[in-house]
Amino acid sequence: MNEDENIVPFEGEHFYEKQDNPESGDTITKVTGMYKDWFLDYASYVILERAVPAIEDGFKPVQRRIMHSLKELDDGRYNKVANVVGHTMQYHPHGDASIGDAMVQIGQKDLLIDTQGNWGNILTGDGAAASRYIEARLSKFALEVLYSPKITTWQASYDGRRNEPVNLPVKFPLLLAQGAEGIAVGLSTKVLPHNFNELIEASIKVLKKKPFTLFPDFPTGGIADISNYNDGMRGGRVRVRAKISQLDKSTLVITQIPFSTNTSTLIDSILKANEKGKIKIKKIEDNTAAEVEILIHLPAGVSPDKTIDALFAFTACETSVAPLGCVIESHKPYFVGVSDMLRISTNRTVDLLKRELEIQLDELEEQWHFLSLERIFIENRIYRLIEEEETWEGVIRAIDEGLKPFTKHLKREVTEDDIVRLTEIRIKRISKFDIDKAQEKIEALEGEIEQVKHHLDNLIDYAIDYFQSLREKYGKGRERKTELRSFDNIEATKVVLRNTKLYVNREEGFIGTGLKKDEYVADCSDIDDVIVFLRDGNMMVTKVDVKTFVGKDIIHVAVFDKNDKRTIYNMIYRDMYN
């Protein structure tokens, strides 16, 4: 048989091939040719360029380009968001909608962008106003921790017209502060947000080589059970509950809501549970504005405590969040826990601070060098040596020879560029030169140089001071919002309202809530189990339904409560093999 018989061609290309497996009866289809290349290219593009943040700075490409554009436009005043979006399109070729949405999400986190206008409400789920009506500028925090052009690595933009940063030199665990979520081809990420001050404290502990723990802190508050957080890795889970309290004997109040919900979805879930009979409420009032306030009014005789448990069991008042720490490192997906994310960020911050200090030291030493050279040039009247020179080469040579007796204390050799700069000094400056003031400037620079050298020699202490200064400047008002507490599972069968009736037709063998003409058994709910015994010795447990056939000649039927210790069922059976 020709080896290509099972390959299906299309327009001269082989896109896939089929292999039959006679043992299992399955057909295995392998993607080949252009389909394989296209799929891998698209998958890589979505993972690297759209969905997953980089470990270096915590940004996805669109977010990084927004922050870069805001810096280019920054003059201290607010910019129309529409203007920022248009500027960002020079770097991000995917339309204004994706840029605008990403910018609103950054602005709502209240850390990097100083917003003005209606930016929406994460509590109510209300969207932001159109980009032409709202304004933004960089926050002071962003200006301090995000930018340092001299240590930034640059690359050409998609059309080659401009340069954009490969990564921003972020000197803070930004990814853990803001969180991140994205879905790519066969891959997803969900890094939960953490508390600003706790991240700084943990970074300081990393530098001091002390143990630390990190747990999420959600902007919507609530109560979180982090016993299965698993350091934010795959397989972990965080349960989050709304904060519900009893206002009076017939009113409950919700003041904080779970992460990933808003008051609209929360109220909808409560109304649906009420319609299905799982809870019983009289009415709901939503008074949410800057703070959450949802009032739940209960009918007379309904237990507030049992209703609170039912709200957790049957509504969005309790949610479960599955974290997944996936980031991009060296152009590849990398699965990592939040503790390692913090260590990587802290160590990178130390490296960035070191590079900034080294550049600062070079600049200070260069200033000291030229000021010293300028003083020698003017104080010793070396400029007079060039009066008789007729060529440029002669001028350079004369100054060089004139400087040599006075340059032994300089920290580097005098170059031709240095001499050229000396020739550019104006006569007015030479005539007004003050030796004492020049010496004061040189001594001030020497003090700054010694201070920078001290910081480099004590880099860890310098980094600790840097983190502490961030906390002092920006930590106020960023206290933990989410209360951490372990709580037990609520068994739905214990709190559900038994608002319907169970009936049985013993002779015909039917049970259900729809057999209203037959024998009444007990009150039940639609999530209850029913236990049934037949005359022939068979027994079964089944869910409540409208009408279910279980077998003729029913001798016993009841709502089955696994936690009922008073009712005990005994079964006698015979071993058929003995």
Side-chain angles (χ1 to χ4, degrees):
M1 183 175 71
N2 189 320
E3 63 180 0
D4 292 334
E5 282 185 5
N6 281 344
I7 299 179
V8 182
F10 178 72
E11 292 185 357
E13 289 288 344
H14 299 315
F15 288 152
Y16 62 89
E17 57 183 66
K18 294 182 178 179
Q19 295 179 355
D20 293 327
N21 187 343
E23 294 182 1
S24 64
D26 295 334
T27 298
I28 301 173
T29 303
K30 293 184 178 179
V31 179
T32 63
M34 285 196 297
Y35 277 172
K36 180 180 180 181
D37 295 337
W38 290 343
F39 176 80
L40 291 177
D41 289 346
Y42 176 71
S44 299
Y45 165 73
V46 174
I47 292 169
L48 298 176
E49 296 294 327
R50 300 293 287 272
V52 184
I55 186 67
E56 289 85 359
D57 58 8
F59 285 123
K60 299 177 185 179
V62 65
Q63 297 170 330
R64 185 180 303 112
R65 288 160 179 162
I66 288 169
M67 301 312 297
H68 174 57
S69 294
L70 279 167
K71 184 66 171 70
E72 287 192 322
L73 294 170
D74 181 57
D75 59 1
R77 297 179 295 175
Y78 288 100
N79 284 284
K80 288 284 187 182
V81 168
N83 186 29
V84 180
V85 170
H87 192 88
T88 307
M89 288 181 71
Q90 297 177 96
Y91 304 103
H92 193 72
H94 299 294
D96 58 333
S98 62
I99 298 171
D101 291 344
M103 189 169 176
V104 168
Q105 289 177 13
I106 297 172
Q108 288 179 340
K109 291 173 182 176
D110 192 29
L111 184 60
L112 301 179
I113 298 179
D114 183 5
T115 61
Q116 184 166 273
N118 177 16
W119 281 67
N121 190 328
I122 60 171
L123 299 178
T124 62
D126 294 336
S131 59
R132 61 187 179 274
Y133 297 125
I134 56 178
E135 296 179 320
R137 65 182 176 188
L138 288 170
S139 67
K140 292 180 179 179
F141 174 78
L143 288 167
E144 181 164 347
V145 304
L146 259 59
Y147 305 102
S148 188
K150 294 175 183 177
I151 61 172
T152 301
T153 303
W154 302 88
Q155 65 183 0
S157 60
Y158 72 95
D159 60 2
R161 285 189 171 96
R162 303 175 72 88
N163 285 329
E164 62 175 322
V166 176
N167 295 116
L168 288 172
V170 177
K171 302 183 289 292
F172 178 78
L174 188 65
L175 176 58
L176 293 173
Q178 294 199 124
E181 187 171 356
I183 299 176
V185 181
L187 189 71
S188 65
T189 185
K190 194 177 186 73
V191 180
L192 303 184
H194 295 71
N195 181 264
F196 182 92
N197 292 313
E198 290 174 10
L199 287 171
I200 291 178
E201 290 171 9
S203 293
I204 292 173
K205 287 181 179 179
V206 169
L207 296 172
K208 292 181 176 180
K209 300 188 183 303
K210 292 183 178 180
F212 66 93
T213 54
L214 281 177
F215 300 116
D217 184 25
F218 303 116
T220 53
I223 306 167
D225 185 339
I226 42 79
S227 54
N228 193 30
Y229 184 43
N230 195 32
D231 200 39
M233 293 284 284
R234 186 196 304 273
R237 192 161 290 276
V238 178
R239 294 166 59 198
V240 194
R241 288 180 175 176
K243 183 167 282 189
I244 309 175
S245 57
Q246 186 176 337
L247 200 60
D248 55 50
K249 63 180 181 180
S250 61
T251 310
L252 302 176
V253 58
I254 299 175
T255 53
Q256 293 180 6
I257 59 177
F259 180 64
S260 74
T261 65
N262 55 60
T263 55
S264 298
T265 58
L266 191 69
I267 290 172
D268 287 344
S269 71
I270 295 172
L271 293 175
K272 287 178 181 177
N274 182 60
E275 290 170 4
K276 293 179 179 179
K278 290 182 169 60
I279 60 174
K280 189 176 288 186
I281 63 171
K282 189 176 180 181
K283 67 174 182 177
I284 296 181
E285 290 182 57
D286 185 9
N287 300 324
T288 301
E291 302 289 338
V292 173
E293 184 182 84
I294 301 173
L295 299 177
I296 303 175
H297 300 278
L298 306 179
V302 173
S303 167
D305 292 336
K306 193 171 181 180
T307 302
I308 291 174
D309 287 343
L311 288 169
F312 291 143
F314 301 116
T315 74
C317 287
E318 178 178 329
T319 62
S320 182
V321 183
L324 178 56
C326 179
V327 295
I328 298 299
E329 184 183 50
S330 301
H331 302 286
K332 295 178 182 178
Y334 174 48
F335 292 91
V336 60
V338 297
S339 297
D340 285 336
M341 284 186 201
L342 184 83
R343 291 188 184 95
I344 292 169
S345 172
T346 303
N347 292 333
R348 187 169 188 268
T349 297
V350 172
D351 180 61
L352 293 172
L353 290 172
K354 179 183 178 182
R355 288 160 60 190
E356 286 183 344
L357 287 171
E358 288 172 343
I359 290 173
Q360 185 181 358
L361 180 61
D362 288 343
E363 291 175 345
L364 289 171
E365 288 183 338
E366 190 63 25
Q367 290 178 42
W368 179 90
H369 174 81
F370 187 74
L371 283 177
S372 299
L373 205 59
E374 183 184 58
R375 178 183 173 182
I376 294 168
F377 181 72
I378 298 174
E379 186 178 356
N380 296 283
R381 303 178 184 274
I382 294 172
Y383 54 85
R384 288 189 172 181
L385 299 177
I386 66 175
E387 292 176 354
E388 303 297 327
E389 299 294 334
E390 297 180 356
T391 65
W392 177 248
E393 290 77 9
V395 169
I396 298 297
R397 186 169 52 252
I399 295 175
D400 188 29
E401 292 297 325
L403 290 173
K404 282 182 179 179
F406 309 101
T407 57
K408 293 179 181 179
H409 71 290
L410 297 181
K411 297 176 182 178
R412 67 170 176 83
E413 293 183 357
V414 178
T415 66
E416 186 174 335
D417 288 340
D418 293 332
I419 297 174
V420 170
R421 285 185 66 186
L422 290 174
T423 65
E424 295 171 352
I425 299 175
R426 296 183 178 183
I427 297 297
K428 185 177 181 181
R429 178 171 172 78
I430 293 174
S431 64
K432 292 188 175 182
F433 186 76
D434 189 323
I435 294 175
D436 293 333
K437 286 185 178 180
Q439 185 60 31
E440 286 178 7
K441 288 181 180 179
I442 291 172
E443 289 175 356
L445 280 173
E446 288 173 347
E448 291 182 45
I449 288 170
E450 288 305 312
Q451 185 179 40
V452 173
K453 286 182 176 179
H454 176 77
H455 291 332
L456 283 168
D457 292 338
N458 301 273
L459 192 58
I460 299 302
D461 291 337
Y462 177 73
I464 291 172
D465 291 341
Y466 171 79
F467 279 115
Q468 288 175 340
S469 70
L470 289 182
R471 180 172 54 192
E472 291 170 4
K473 290 179 186 177
Y474 309 108
K476 188 177 180 181
R478 298 187 183 276
E479 293 77 18
R480 169 167 282 278
K481 293 183 178 181
T482 303
E483 179 184 348
L484 302 181
R485 185 199 307 169
S486 295
F487 38 78
D488 298 327
N489 290 322
I490 295 174
E491 294 188 26
T493 54
K494 287 186 175 181
V495 296
V496 69
L497 292 175
R498 290 185 168 172
N499 56 356
T500 187
K501 301 181 184 299
L502 178 67
Y503 301 92
V504 61
N505 186 324
R506 297 180 184 273
E507 292 184 2
E508 297 297 327
F510 287 96
I511 62 170
T513 58
L515 307 175
K516 296 183 179 180
K517 294 182 180 180
D518 293 307
E519 178 186 345
Y520 165 75
V521 176
D523 289 347
C524 67
S525 71
D526 58 1
I527 65 169
D528 279 334
D529 292 321
V530 181
I531 188 168
V532 180
F533 289 87
L534 305 181
R535 191 171 297 279
D536 61 8
N538 285 316
M539 182 275 290
M540 70 183 69
V541 176
T542 184
K543 286 289 184 185
V544 167
D545 207 340
V546 177
K547 185 177 181 181
T548 304
F549 178 76
V550 294
K552 294 184 178 181
D553 291 334
I554 299 172
I555 60 173
H556 178 78
V557 58
V559 174
F560 183 54
D561 185 356
K562 297 176 184 177
N563 299 303
D564 182 5
K565 297 181 180 179
R566 294 178 297 176
T567 304
I568 300 174
Y569 293 100
N570 296 294
M571 293 188 65
I572 301 172
Y573 67 95
R574 181 171 61 188
D575 190 341
M576 300 297 294
Y577 298 98
N578 291 323

